[in-house]
Amino acid sequence: MKIGLGADHGGYKLKQLIKEHLEKNGYEVVDYGTNSSDSVDYPDYGKKVAQAVIDREVDKGIVCCGTGIGISLAANKVKGIRCANVSDTFSAKMSRAHNNCQMIALGERVLGAGLALEIVDAFLNTEFEGDRHQRRVDKIMDIEGGFTCQN
C-alpha cells in the first residue's frame, strides 16, 4: 500500500515520525512536504495529499498540522475526499469502517507520539464495511455534487 504524507511546520515532526514508522512496517511512502519546521501554509499540503489520493498516486493519505483541524479542512475541499481529523483509535477505525475515509489528519500539538502511531495503524488496518454504510457515504458525496471516489 502506498501512503501519501503531508504536513505544515506545526506537524512536521509528527509527519517524520509517521514516515519512519510506515517505512519500517513495509509501506511505500510518498512525502509531499513540508521538509522543515519553517513556517508554511497548511492548505498547500492538505491539498497536495488529497489530490494525490484522488489521482490515485497513493492509496491513502495522512496529513498533520498543529491540531489536525486546518489541514483536514483543506483536504476536504478537494472534491471526492473524506478526511477525518482524529485523536483516538476508535475514531480512526470508524473513519474507515463506516465512512470509508481515504485520509486522516493528526495534530502534533495534541497527540503523543505513541498514540499517533496507534491511530495510524488503526486507520490503515481497518477495512470499509460497506452495506448500509455505503448508502450513507453516497449521501455524503451527493451533498458534494454527486462525485463518488471508490478508494
mmCIF file with all atom_site columns, all heavy atoms in Angstrom, residues 72-98:
data_model
loop_
_atom_site.group_PDB
_atom_site.id
_atom_site.type_symbol
_atom_site.label_atom_id
_atom_site.label_alt_id
_atom_site.label_comp_id
_atom_site.label_asym_id
_atom_site.label_entity_id
_atom_site.label_seq_id
_atom_site.pdbx_PDB_ins_code
_atom_site.Cartn_x
_atom_site.Cartn_y
_atom_site.Cartn_z
_atom_site.occupancy
_atom_site.B_iso_or_equiv
_atom_site.pdbx_formal_charge
_atom_site.auth_seq_id
_atom_site.auth_comp_id
_atom_site.auth_asym_id
_atom_site.auth_atom_id
_atom_site.pdbx_PDB_model_num
ATOM 1   N N   . SER A 1 72 ? -7.139  19.246 7.778  1.00 0.00 ? 72 SER A N   1
ATOM 2   C CA  . SER A 1 72 ? -8.273  18.392 7.393  1.00 0.00 ? 72 SER A CA  1
ATOM 3   C C   . SER A 1 72 ? -9.314  19.201 6.623  1.00 0.00 ? 72 SER A C   1
ATOM 4   O O   . SER A 1 72 ? -9.900  18.702 5.653  1.00 0.00 ? 72 SER A O   1
ATOM 5   C CB  . SER A 1 72 ? -8.921  17.724 8.609  1.00 0.00 ? 72 SER A CB  1
ATOM 6   O OG  . SER A 1 72 ? -9.615  18.643 9.421  1.00 0.00 ? 72 SER A OG  1
ATOM 7   N N   . LEU A 1 73 ? -9.539  20.428 7.029  1.00 0.00 ? 73 LEU A N   1
ATOM 8   C CA  . LEU A 1 73 ? -10.477 21.284 6.303  1.00 0.00 ? 73 LEU A CA  1
ATOM 9   C C   . LEU A 1 73 ? -10.005 21.504 4.871  1.00 0.00 ? 73 LEU A C   1
ATOM 10  O O   . LEU A 1 73 ? -10.799 21.437 3.932  1.00 0.00 ? 73 LEU A O   1
ATOM 11  C CB  . LEU A 1 73 ? -10.637 22.628 7.014  1.00 0.00 ? 73 LEU A CB  1
ATOM 12  C CG  . LEU A 1 73 ? -11.341 22.583 8.373  1.00 0.00 ? 73 LEU A CG  1
ATOM 13  C CD1 . LEU A 1 73 ? -11.255 23.944 9.053  1.00 0.00 ? 73 LEU A CD1 1
ATOM 14  C CD2 . LEU A 1 73 ? -12.775 22.134 8.237  1.00 0.00 ? 73 LEU A CD2 1
ATOM 15  N N   . ALA A 1 74 ? -8.720  21.753 4.716  1.00 0.00 ? 74 ALA A N   1
ATOM 16  C CA  . ALA A 1 74 ? -8.168  21.961 3.374  1.00 0.00 ? 74 ALA A CA  1
ATOM 17  C C   . ALA A 1 74 ? -8.304  20.702 2.526  1.00 0.00 ? 74 ALA A C   1
ATOM 18  O O   . ALA A 1 74 ? -8.742  20.763 1.372  1.00 0.00 ? 74 ALA A O   1
ATOM 19  C CB  . ALA A 1 74 ? -6.698  22.384 3.472  1.00 0.00 ? 74 ALA A CB  1
ATOM 20  N N   . ALA A 1 75 ? -7.947  19.562 3.087  1.00 0.00 ? 75 ALA A N   1
ATOM 21  C CA  . ALA A 1 75 ? -8.034  18.299 2.339  1.00 0.00 ? 75 ALA A CA  1
ATOM 22  C C   . ALA A 1 75 ? -9.469  18.029 1.905  1.00 0.00 ? 75 ALA A C   1
ATOM 23  O O   . ALA A 1 75 ? -9.712  17.590 0.774  1.00 0.00 ? 75 ALA A O   1
ATOM 24  C CB  . ALA A 1 75 ? -7.504  17.144 3.185  1.00 0.00 ? 75 ALA A CB  1
ATOM 25  N N   . ASN A 1 76 ? -10.425 18.300 2.779  1.00 0.00 ? 76 ASN A N   1
ATOM 26  C CA  . ASN A 1 76 ? -11.825 18.031 2.471  1.00 0.00 ? 76 ASN A CA  1
ATOM 27  C C   . ASN A 1 76 ? -12.402 18.949 1.400  1.00 0.00 ? 76 ASN A C   1
ATOM 28  O O   . ASN A 1 76 ? -13.485 18.671 0.874  1.00 0.00 ? 76 ASN A O   1
ATOM 29  C CB  . ASN A 1 76 ? -12.677 18.092 3.740  1.00 0.00 ? 76 ASN A CB  1
ATOM 30  C CG  . ASN A 1 76 ? -12.582 16.817 4.531  1.00 0.00 ? 76 ASN A CG  1
ATOM 31  O OD1 . ASN A 1 76 ? -12.734 15.725 3.981  1.00 0.00 ? 76 ASN A OD1 1
ATOM 32  N ND2 . ASN A 1 76 ? -12.318 16.927 5.823  1.00 0.00 ? 76 ASN A ND2 1
ATOM 33  N N   . LYS A 1 77 ? -11.709 19.994 1.040  1.00 0.00 ? 77 LYS A N   1
ATOM 34  C CA  . LYS A 1 77 ? -12.161 20.873 -0.050 1.00 0.00 ? 77 LYS A CA  1
ATOM 35  C C   . LYS A 1 77 ? -11.855 20.269 -1.417 1.00 0.00 ? 77 LYS A C   1
ATOM 36  O O   . LYS A 1 77 ? -12.403 20.712 -2.421 1.00 0.00 ? 77 LYS A O   1
ATOM 37  C CB  . LYS A 1 77 ? -11.520 22.259 0.057  1.00 0.00 ? 77 LYS A CB  1
ATOM 38  C CG  . LYS A 1 77 ? -11.971 23.036 1.277  1.00 0.00 ? 77 LYS A CG  1
ATOM 39  C CD  . LYS A 1 77 ? -13.459 23.314 1.235  1.00 0.00 ? 77 LYS A CD  1
ATOM 40  C CE  . LYS A 1 77 ? -13.904 24.107 2.445  1.00 0.00 ? 77 LYS A CE  1
ATOM 41  N NZ  . LYS A 1 77 ? -15.347 24.339 2.442  1.00 0.00 ? 77 LYS A NZ  1
ATOM 42  N N   . VAL A 1 78 ? -11.000 19.254 -1.467 1.00 0.00 ? 78 VAL A N   1
ATOM 43  C CA  . VAL A 1 78 ? -10.716 18.574 -2.727 1.00 0.00 ? 78 VAL A CA  1
ATOM 44  C C   . VAL A 1 78 ? -11.880 17.627 -2.999 1.00 0.00 ? 78 VAL A C   1
ATOM 45  O O   . VAL A 1 78 ? -12.195 16.755 -2.181 1.00 0.00 ? 78 VAL A O   1
ATOM 46  C CB  . VAL A 1 78 ? -9.370  17.815 -2.677 1.00 0.00 ? 78 VAL A CB  1
ATOM 47  C CG1 . VAL A 1 78 ? -9.172  16.982 -3.932 1.00 0.00 ? 78 VAL A CG1 1
ATOM 48  C CG2 . VAL A 1 78 ? -8.225  18.801 -2.483 1.00 0.00 ? 78 VAL A CG2 1
ATOM 49  N N   . LYS A 1 79 ? -12.519 17.812 -4.124 1.00 0.00 ? 79 LYS A N   1
ATOM 50  C CA  . LYS A 1 79 ? -13.725 17.067 -4.452 1.00 0.00 ? 79 LYS A CA  1
ATOM 51  C C   . LYS A 1 79 ? -13.463 15.557 -4.403 1.00 0.00 ? 79 LYS A C   1
ATOM 52  O O   . LYS A 1 79 ? -12.536 15.064 -5.039 1.00 0.00 ? 79 LYS A O   1
ATOM 53  C CB  . LYS A 1 79 ? -14.234 17.475 -5.837 1.00 0.00 ? 79 LYS A CB  1
ATOM 54  C CG  . LYS A 1 79 ? -15.642 17.040 -6.109 1.00 0.00 ? 79 LYS A CG  1
ATOM 55  C CD  . LYS A 1 79 ? -16.201 17.708 -7.344 1.00 0.00 ? 79 LYS A CD  1
ATOM 56  C CE  . LYS A 1 79 ? -17.666 17.359 -7.472 1.00 0.00 ? 79 LYS A CE  1
ATOM 57  N NZ  . LYS A 1 79 ? -18.307 18.117 -8.534 1.00 0.00 ? 79 LYS A NZ  1
ATOM 58  N N   . GLY A 1 80 ? -14.286 14.869 -3.619 1.00 0.00 ? 80 GLY A N   1
ATOM 59  C CA  . GLY A 1 80 ? -14.186 13.424 -3.514 1.00 0.00 ? 80 GLY A CA  1
ATOM 60  C C   . GLY A 1 80 ? -13.460 12.929 -2.281 1.00 0.00 ? 80 GLY A C   1
ATOM 61  O O   . GLY A 1 80 ? -13.465 11.741 -1.997 1.00 0.00 ? 80 GLY A O   1
ATOM 62  N N   . ILE A 1 81 ? -12.861 13.828 -1.536 1.00 0.00 ? 81 ILE A N   1
ATOM 63  C CA  . ILE A 1 81 ? -12.077 13.419 -0.357 1.00 0.00 ? 81 ILE A CA  1
ATOM 64  C C   . ILE A 1 81 ? -12.944 13.400 0.894  1.00 0.00 ? 81 ILE A C   1
ATOM 65  O O   . ILE A 1 81 ? -13.785 14.263 1.109  1.00 0.00 ? 81 ILE A O   1
ATOM 66  C CB  . ILE A 1 81 ? -10.869 14.357 -0.156 1.00 0.00 ? 81 ILE A CB  1
ATOM 67  C CG1 . ILE A 1 81 ? -9.791  14.037 -1.175 1.00 0.00 ? 81 ILE A CG1 1
ATOM 68  C CG2 . ILE A 1 81 ? -10.304 14.261 1.268  1.00 0.00 ? 81 ILE A CG2 1
ATOM 69  C CD1 . ILE A 1 81 ? -9.163  12.649 -1.046 1.00 0.00 ? 81 ILE A CD1 1
ATOM 70  N N   . ARG A 1 82 ? -12.691 12.388 1.707  1.00 0.00 ? 82 ARG A N   1
ATOM 71  C CA  . ARG A 1 82 ? -13.224 12.301 3.049  1.00 0.00 ? 82 ARG A CA  1
ATOM 72  C C   . ARG A 1 82 ? -12.031 12.158 3.984  1.00 0.00 ? 82 ARG A C   1
ATOM 73  O O   . ARG A 1 82 ? -11.390 11.110 4.027  1.00 0.00 ? 82 ARG A O   1
ATOM 74  C CB  . ARG A 1 82 ? -14.202 11.118 3.182  1.00 0.00 ? 82 ARG A CB  1
ATOM 75  C CG  . ARG A 1 82 ? -15.490 11.322 2.400  1.00 0.00 ? 82 ARG A CG  1
ATOM 76  C CD  . ARG A 1 82 ? -16.403 10.110 2.436  1.00 0.00 ? 82 ARG A CD  1
ATOM 77  N NE  . ARG A 1 82 ? -15.737 8.880  1.996  1.00 0.00 ? 82 ARG A NE  1
ATOM 78  C CZ  . ARG A 1 82 ? -15.507 8.570  0.708  1.00 0.00 ? 82 ARG A CZ  1
ATOM 79  N NH1 . ARG A 1 82 ? -15.862 9.394  -0.265 1.00 0.00 ? 82 ARG A NH1 1
ATOM 80  N NH2 . ARG A 1 82 ? -14.908 7.435  0.405  1.00 0.00 ? 82 ARG A NH2 1
ATOM 81  N N   . CYS A 1 83 ? -11.709 13.230 4.687  1.00 0.00 ? 83 CYS A N   1
ATOM 82  C CA  . CYS A 1 83 ? -10.571 13.263 5.596  1.00 0.00 ? 83 CYS A CA  1
ATOM 83  C C   . CYS A 1 83 ? -11.081 13.536 6.999  1.00 0.00 ? 83 CYS A C   1
ATOM 84  O O   . CYS A 1 83 ? -11.684 14.576 7.250  1.00 0.00 ? 83 CYS A O   1
ATOM 85  C CB  . CYS A 1 83 ? -9.584  14.358 5.167  1.00 0.00 ? 83 CYS A CB  1
ATOM 86  S SG  . CYS A 1 83 ? -8.146  14.516 6.256  1.00 0.00 ? 83 CYS A SG  1
ATOM 87  N N   . ALA A 1 84 ? -10.826 12.606 7.910  1.00 0.00 ? 84 ALA A N   1
ATOM 88  C CA  . ALA A 1 84 ? -11.275 12.743 9.296  1.00 0.00 ? 84 ALA A CA  1
ATOM 89  C C   . ALA A 1 84 ? -10.130 13.231 10.167 1.00 0.00 ? 84 ALA A C   1
ATOM 90  O O   . ALA A 1 84 ? -9.019  12.686 10.109 1.00 0.00 ? 84 ALA A O   1
ATOM 91  C CB  . ALA A 1 84 ? -11.789 11.402 9.815  1.00 0.00 ? 84 ALA A CB  1
ATOM 92  N N   . ASN A 1 85 ? -10.399 14.247 10.960 1.00 0.00 ? 85 ASN A N   1
ATOM 93  C CA  . ASN A 1 85 ? -9.444  14.696 11.974 1.00 0.00 ? 85 ASN A CA  1
ATOM 94  C C   . ASN A 1 85 ? -9.676  13.827 13.205 1.00 0.00 ? 85 ASN A C   1
ATOM 95  O O   . ASN A 1 85 ? -10.742 13.899 13.818 1.00 0.00 ? 85 ASN A O   1
ATOM 96  C CB  . ASN A 1 85 ? -9.684  16.176 12.290 1.00 0.00 ? 85 ASN A CB  1
ATOM 97  C CG  . ASN A 1 85 ? -8.727  16.705 13.334 1.00 0.00 ? 85 ASN A CG  1
ATOM 98  O OD1 . ASN A 1 85 ? -7.687  16.128 13.577 1.00 0.00 ? 85 ASN A OD1 1
ATOM 99  N ND2 . ASN A 1 85 ? -9.094  17.821 13.937 1.00 0.00 ? 85 ASN A ND2 1
ATOM 100 N N   . VAL A 1 86 ? -8.727  12.964 13.523 1.00 0.00 ? 86 VAL A N   1
ATOM 101 C CA  . VAL A 1 86 ? -8.927  12.005 14.611 1.00 0.00 ? 86 VAL A CA  1
ATOM 102 C C   . VAL A 1 86 ? -7.860  12.137 15.681 1.00 0.00 ? 86 VAL A C   1
ATOM 103 O O   . VAL A 1 86 ? -6.721  12.508 15.411 1.00 0.00 ? 86 VAL A O   1
ATOM 104 C CB  . VAL A 1 86 ? -8.989  10.547 14.089 1.00 0.00 ? 86 VAL A CB  1
ATOM 105 C CG1 . VAL A 1 86 ? -10.181 10.348 13.184 1.00 0.00 ? 86 VAL A CG1 1
ATOM 106 C CG2 . VAL A 1 86 ? -7.720  10.152 13.365 1.00 0.00 ? 86 VAL A CG2 1
ATOM 107 N N   . SER A 1 87 ? -8.259  11.819 16.910 1.00 0.00 ? 87 SER A N   1
ATOM 108 C CA  . SER A 1 87 ? -7.301  11.842 18.010 1.00 0.00 ? 87 SER A CA  1
ATOM 109 C C   . SER A 1 87 ? -7.472  10.651 18.945 1.00 0.00 ? 87 SER A C   1
ATOM 110 O O   . SER A 1 87 ? -7.028  10.670 20.083 1.00 0.00 ? 87 SER A O   1
ATOM 111 C CB  . SER A 1 87 ? -7.386  13.162 18.786 1.00 0.00 ? 87 SER A CB  1
ATOM 112 O OG  . SER A 1 87 ? -8.690  13.568 18.994 1.00 0.00 ? 87 SER A OG  1
ATOM 113 N N   . ASP A 1 88 ? -8.112  9.584  18.430 1.00 0.00 ? 88 ASP A N   1
ATOM 114 C CA  . ASP A 1 88 ? -8.209  8.331  19.181 1.00 0.00 ? 88 ASP A CA  1
ATOM 115 C C   . ASP A 1 88 ? -8.345  7.177  18.183 1.00 0.00 ? 88 ASP A C   1
ATOM 116 O O   . ASP A 1 88 ? -8.732  7.386  17.041 1.00 0.00 ? 88 ASP A O   1
ATOM 117 C CB  . ASP A 1 88 ? -9.409  8.362  20.149 1.00 0.00 ? 88 ASP A CB  1
ATOM 118 C CG  . ASP A 1 88 ? -10.727 8.497  19.427 1.00 0.00 ? 88 ASP A CG  1
ATOM 119 O OD1 . ASP A 1 88 ? -11.290 7.451  19.021 1.00 0.00 ? 88 ASP A OD1 1
ATOM 120 O OD2 . ASP A 1 88 ? -11.196 9.635  19.235 1.00 0.00 ? 88 ASP A OD2 1
ATOM 121 N N   . THR A 1 89 ? -8.015  5.985  18.628 1.00 0.00 ? 89 THR A N   1
ATOM 122 C CA  . THR A 1 89 ? -8.000  4.838  17.724 1.00 0.00 ? 89 THR A CA  1
ATOM 123 C C   . THR A 1 89 ? -9.406  4.420  17.295 1.00 0.00 ? 89 THR A C   1
ATOM 124 O O   . THR A 1 89 ? -9.601  3.984  16.161 1.00 0.00 ? 89 THR A O   1
ATOM 125 C CB  . THR A 1 89 ? -7.276  3.628  18.350 1.00 0.00 ? 89 THR A CB  1
ATOM 126 O OG1 . THR A 1 89 ? -7.892  3.303  19.600 1.00 0.00 ? 89 THR A OG1 1
ATOM 127 C CG2 . THR A 1 89 ? -5.805  3.927  18.555 1.00 0.00 ? 89 THR A CG2 1
ATOM 128 N N   . PHE A 1 90 ? -10.404 4.553  18.171 1.00 0.00 ? 90 PHE A N   1
ATOM 129 C CA  . PHE A 1 90 ? -11.757 4.181  17.793 1.00 0.00 ? 90 PHE A CA  1
ATOM 130 C C   . PHE A 1 90 ? -12.251 5.035  16.629 1.00 0.00 ? 90 PHE A C   1
ATOM 131 O O   . PHE A 1 90 ? -12.814 4.514  15.659 1.00 0.00 ? 90 PHE A O   1
ATOM 132 C CB  . PHE A 1 90 ? -12.714 4.295  18.991 1.00 0.00 ? 90 PHE A CB  1
ATOM 133 C CG  . PHE A 1 90 ? -14.126 3.913  18.648 1.00 0.00 ? 90 PHE A CG  1
ATOM 134 C CD1 . PHE A 1 90 ? -14.475 2.585  18.467 1.00 0.00 ? 90 PHE A CD1 1
ATOM 135 C CD2 . PHE A 1 90 ? -15.101 4.885  18.478 1.00 0.00 ? 90 PHE A CD2 1
ATOM 136 C CE1 . PHE A 1 90 ? -15.778 2.221  18.133 1.00 0.00 ? 90 PHE A CE1 1
ATOM 137 C CE2 . PHE A 1 90 ? -16.405 4.538  18.141 1.00 0.00 ? 90 PHE A CE2 1
ATOM 138 C CZ  . PHE A 1 90 ? -16.742 3.207  17.969 1.00 0.00 ? 90 PHE A CZ  1
ATOM 139 N N   . SER A 1 91 ? -12.040 6.334  16.707 1.00 0.00 ? 91 SER A N   1
ATOM 140 C CA  . SER A 1 91 ? -12.456 7.223  15.616 1.00 0.00 ? 91 SER A CA  1
ATOM 141 C C   . SER A 1 91 ? -11.700 6.909  14.336 1.00 0.00 ? 91 SER A C   1
ATOM 142 O O   . SER A 1 91 ? -12.266 6.979  13.237 1.00 0.00 ? 91 SER A O   1
ATOM 143 C CB  . SER A 1 91 ? -12.246 8.684  16.009 1.00 0.00 ? 91 SER A CB  1
ATOM 144 O OG  . SER A 1 91 ? -13.081 9.030  17.096 1.00 0.00 ? 91 SER A OG  1
ATOM 145 N N   . ALA A 1 92 ? -10.435 6.564  14.458 1.00 0.00 ? 92 ALA A N   1
ATOM 146 C CA  . ALA A 1 92 ? -9.647  6.198  13.268 1.00 0.00 ? 92 ALA A CA  1
ATOM 147 C C   . ALA A 1 92 ? -10.251 4.961  12.601 1.00 0.00 ? 92 ALA A C   1
ATOM 148 O O   . ALA A 1 92 ? -10.400 4.923  11.372 1.00 0.00 ? 92 ALA A O   1
ATOM 149 C CB  . ALA A 1 92 ? -8.193  5.941  13.649 1.00 0.00 ? 92 ALA A CB  1
ATOM 150 N N   . LYS A 1 93 ? -10.600 3.962  13.402 1.00 0.00 ? 93 LYS A N   1
ATOM 151 C CA  . LYS A 1 93 ? -11.215 2.748  12.851 1.00 0.00 ? 93 LYS A CA  1
ATOM 152 C C   . LYS A 1 93 ? -12.563 3.063  12.208 1.00 0.00 ? 93 LYS A C   1
ATOM 153 O O   . LYS A 1 93 ? -12.858 2.588  11.110 1.00 0.00 ? 93 LYS A O   1
ATOM 154 C CB  . LYS A 1 93 ? -11.409 1.701  13.954 1.00 0.00 ? 93 LYS A CB  1
ATOM 155 C CG  . LYS A 1 93 ? -10.128 1.080  14.441 1.00 0.00 ? 93 LYS A CG  1
ATOM 156 C CD  . LYS A 1 93 ? -10.381 0.126  15.591 1.00 0.00 ? 93 LYS A CD  1
ATOM 157 C CE  . LYS A 1 93 ? -9.088  -0.398 16.162 1.00 0.00 ? 93 LYS A CE  1
ATOM 158 N NZ  . LYS A 1 93 ? -9.303  -1.259 17.334 1.00 0.00 ? 93 LYS A NZ  1
ATOM 159 N N   . MET A 1 94 ? -13.381 3.849  12.883 1.00 0.00 ? 94 MET A N   1
ATOM 160 C CA  . MET A 1 94 ? -14.712 4.162  12.354 1.00 0.00 ? 94 MET A CA  1
ATOM 161 C C   . MET A 1 94 ? -14.634 5.035  11.106 1.00 0.00 ? 94 MET A C   1
ATOM 162 O O   . MET A 1 94 ? -15.498 4.945  10.227 1.00 0.00 ? 94 MET A O   1
ATOM 163 C CB  . MET A 1 94 ? -15.577 4.834  13.416 1.00 0.00 ? 94 MET A CB  1
ATOM 164 C CG  . MET A 1 94 ? -15.972 3.917  14.568 1.00 0.00 ? 94 MET A CG  1
ATOM 165 S SD  . MET A 1 94 ? -16.886 2.429  14.055 1.00 0.00 ? 94 MET A SD  1
ATOM 166 C CE  . MET A 1 94 ? -15.590 1.193  14.052 1.00 0.00 ? 94 MET A CE  1
ATOM 167 N N   . SER A 1 95 ? -13.595 5.861  11.003 1.00 0.00 ? 95 SER A N   1
ATOM 168 C CA  . SER A 1 95 ? -13.449 6.679  9.794  1.00 0.00 ? 95 SER A CA  1
ATOM 169 C C   . SER A 1 95 ? -13.285 5.798  8.561  1.00 0.00 ? 95 SER A C   1
ATOM 170 O O   . SER A 1 95 ? -13.699 6.176  7.468  1.00 0.00 ? 95 SER A O   1
ATOM 171 C CB  . SER A 1 95 ? -12.272 7.646  9.930  1.00 0.00 ? 95 SER A CB  1
ATOM 172 O OG  . SER A 1 95 ? -11.020 6.989  9.784  1.00 0.00 ? 95 SER A OG  1
ATOM 173 N N   . ARG A 1 96 ? -12.724 4.633  8.734  1.00 0.00 ? 96 ARG A N   1
ATOM 174 C CA  . ARG A 1 96 ? -12.594 3.663  7.639  1.00 0.00 ? 96 ARG A CA  1
ATOM 175 C C   . ARG A 1 96 ? -13.823 2.761  7.568  1.00 0.00 ? 96 ARG A C   1
ATOM 176 O O   . ARG A 1 96 ? -14.437 2.627  6.522  1.00 0.00 ? 96 ARG A O   1
ATOM 177 C CB  . ARG A 1 96 ? -11.344 2.796  7.838  1.00 0.00 ? 96 ARG A CB  1
ATOM 178 C CG  . ARG A 1 96 ? -10.052 3.500  7.587  1.00 0.00 ? 96 ARG A CG  1
ATOM 179 C CD  . ARG A 1 96 ? -9.789  3.806  6.108  1.00 0.00 ? 96 ARG A CD  1
ATOM 180 N NE  . ARG A 1 96 ? -9.913  2.594  5.312  1.00 0.00 ? 96 ARG A NE  1
ATOM 181 C CZ  . ARG A 1 96 ? -10.640 2.517  4.187  1.00 0.00 ? 96 ARG A CZ  1
ATOM 182 N NH1 . ARG A 1 96 ? -11.270 3.561  3.717  1.00 0.00 ? 96 ARG A NH1 1
ATOM 183 N NH2 . ARG A 1 96 ? -10.722 1.388  3.531  1.00 0.00 ? 96 ARG A NH2 1
ATOM 184 N N   . ALA A 1 97 ? -14.175 2.125  8.683  1.00 0.00 ? 97 ALA A N   1
ATOM 185 C CA  . ALA A 1 97 ? -15.220 1.106  8.689  1.00 0.00 ? 97 ALA A CA  1
ATOM 186 C C   . ALA A 1 97 ? -16.582 1.654  8.273  1.00 0.00 ? 97 ALA A C   1
ATOM 187 O O   . ALA A 1 97 ? -17.307 1.004  7.517  1.00 0.00 ? 97 ALA A O   1
ATOM 188 C CB  . ALA A 1 97 ? -15.324 0.470  10.072 1.00 0.00 ? 97 ALA A CB  1
ATOM 189 N N   . HIS A 1 98 ? -16.927 2.847  8.727  1.00 0.00 ? 98 HIS A N   1
ATOM 190 C CA  . HIS A 1 98 ? -18.255 3.384  8.466  1.00 0.00 ? 98 HIS A CA  1
ATOM 191 C C   . HIS A 1 98 ? -18.270 4.520  7.449  1.00 0.00 ? 98 HIS A C   1
ATOM 192 O O   . HIS A 1 98 ? -19.292 4.731  6.795  1.00 0.00 ? 98 HIS A O   1
ATOM 193 C CB  . HIS A 1 98 ? -18.892 3.878  9.766  1.00 0.00 ? 98 HIS A CB  1
ATOM 194 C CG  . HIS A 1 98 ? -19.276 2.761  10.685 1.00 0.00 ? 98 HIS A CG  1
ATOM 195 N ND1 . HIS A 1 98 ? -20.028 2.967  11.816 1.00 0.00 ? 98 HIS A ND1 1
ATOM 196 C CD2 . HIS A 1 98 ? -19.013 1.428  10.654 1.00 0.00 ? 98 HIS A CD2 1
ATOM 197 C CE1 . HIS A 1 98 ? -20.216 1.816  12.433 1.00 0.00 ? 98 HIS A CE1 1
ATOM 198 N NE2 . HIS A 1 98 ? -19.602 0.863  11.758 1.00 0.00 ? 98 HIS A NE2 1
#
